[in-house]
Amino acid sequence: QVQLVESGGGLVQAGDSLRLSCAASGRTFSSYDMGWFRQDPGKEREFVVGISSSGDSTYYADSVKGRFTISRDNAKNMLYLQMGSLKPEDTAVYYCVARPAGLGYQPDEYDYWGQGTQVTVSL
């Protein structure tokens, strides 16, 4: 069982940077593959980025590649998303997710979800 709590969202201007954090509970954090999804009202949840349990493998949605960076600190049970060159279309609620094994692109492939943190990017 893993519990996830996101933080770091807020209101920023286009071109700004923001770092999201996800604190995970549980002794087996280092065995979980993790990721971030986002959802704008009226739209489906969208995969943003994933990272393997060891942190050695990452993969990004094309829409954020080169602008966002995912990382994790298994010693601290923390997951991070560094977002740069933010655009208004990045506005969404961002969710931290986890699954016991294997990276996935679809929401239903992840067993654990945080409550989400709002990111709003203005022009």
Side-chain angles (χ1 to χ4, degrees), residues 11-70:
L11 173 63
V12 297
Q13 292 186 327
D16 285 351
S17 298
L18 199 63
R19 189 176 85 154
L20 304 183
S21 299
C22 174
S25 65
R27 299 178 181 178
T28 57
F29 172 78
S30 61
S31 67
Y32 284 80
D33 292 314
M34 307 287 294
W36 293 90
F37 279 75
R38 65 186 182 187
Q39 186 171 27
D40 208 14
K43 297 183 180 178
E44 295 185 353
R45 287 188 178 183
E46 174 190 18
F47 170 80
V48 177
V49 59
I51 187 168
S52 62
S53 57
S54 66
D56 290 343
S57 297
T58 59
Y59 60 103
Y60 295 84
D62 288 341
S63 58
V64 306
K65 199 172 295 183
R67 300 189 298 120
F68 290 12
T69 303
I70 190 172

Side-chain angles (χ1 to χ4, degrees), residues 1 4 9 11 22-23 29 44 52 63 75-76 83 89-90 93 99 101 106 110 115 118:
Q1 187 81 10
L4 306 170
L11 173 63
C22 174
F29 172 78
E44 295 185 353
S52 62
S63 58
K76 296 181 178 179
M83 304 185 293
E89 50 264 44
D90 295 318
V93 176
R99 60 180 296 189
Q106 301 301 322
Y110 287 86
Q115 82 288 351
Q118 176 71 47

